[in-house]
Amino acid sequence: MPAAVDHVQLAAPPGAEDLLRASYADALGMTEIPKPPALATRRGCWFAAGAVRLHLGTGPGLRPSRRAHPGLRVTGIEAFAARLEGCGVPVTWDDALPGHRRFHALAPVGNRLEFLEPLGGSEV
């Protein structure tokens, strides 16, 4: 039985590592983490923020998804959206999920990301 999500892997085109670093580290405020030695020769980069882990794989035939996406819970969603917009990442607000404030953004290589914050302590 699954106990937790360890990480989410997203796809990116070959050679996008520098763009990924600028987006995920600089704009999102995540930290690039080293891969284990057995995986270090593989393309892409890994990022973390608290318990959130995102692996960005790069290579031929890998394409970002504009539909499938991770939903990342944030605190201070208004300030976080302003941070992204200040880094040139447009956000699209969506009020369709009851009990949450949320928005979507496209990372520079085209992956869709959802950011949400429960309202009033809701955990749904």
Side-chain angles (χ1 to χ4, degrees):
M1 160 183 325
V5 174
D6 183 77
H7 69 276
V8 172
Q9 170 122 3
L10 300 172
E17 286 84 357
D18 287 342
L19 187 56
L20 295 171
R21 288 181 180 101
S23 178
Y24 289 84
D26 297 343
L28 296 183
M30 300 184 82
T31 300
E32 185 172 2
I33 57 175
K35 297 177 191 174
L39 301 174
T41 59
R42 296 184 183 178
R43 292 174 272 213
C45 25
W46 294 5
F47 298 93
V52 176
R53 302 283 185 269
L54 295 177
H55 296 181
L56 283 292
T58 63
L62 295 180
R63 290 177 289 172
S65 176
R66 293 184 185 270
R67 178 88 173 131
H69 62 276
L72 304 173
R73 190 165 288 186
V74 299
T75 57
I77 196 164
E78 298 286 340
F80 190 72
R83 174 190 176 126
L84 292 182
E85 289 177 319
C87 290
V89 179
V91 304
T92 303
W93 289 96
D94 179 352
D95 62 359
L97 182 62
H100 291 80
R101 183 89 170 110
R102 75 178 182 164
F103 66 86
H104 293 92
L106 287 181
V109 298
N111 282 305
R112 181 180 184 198
L113 303 172
E114 177 181 339
F115 301 95
L116 62 158
E117 182 175 37
L119 298 174
S122 169
E123 291 298 321
V124 177

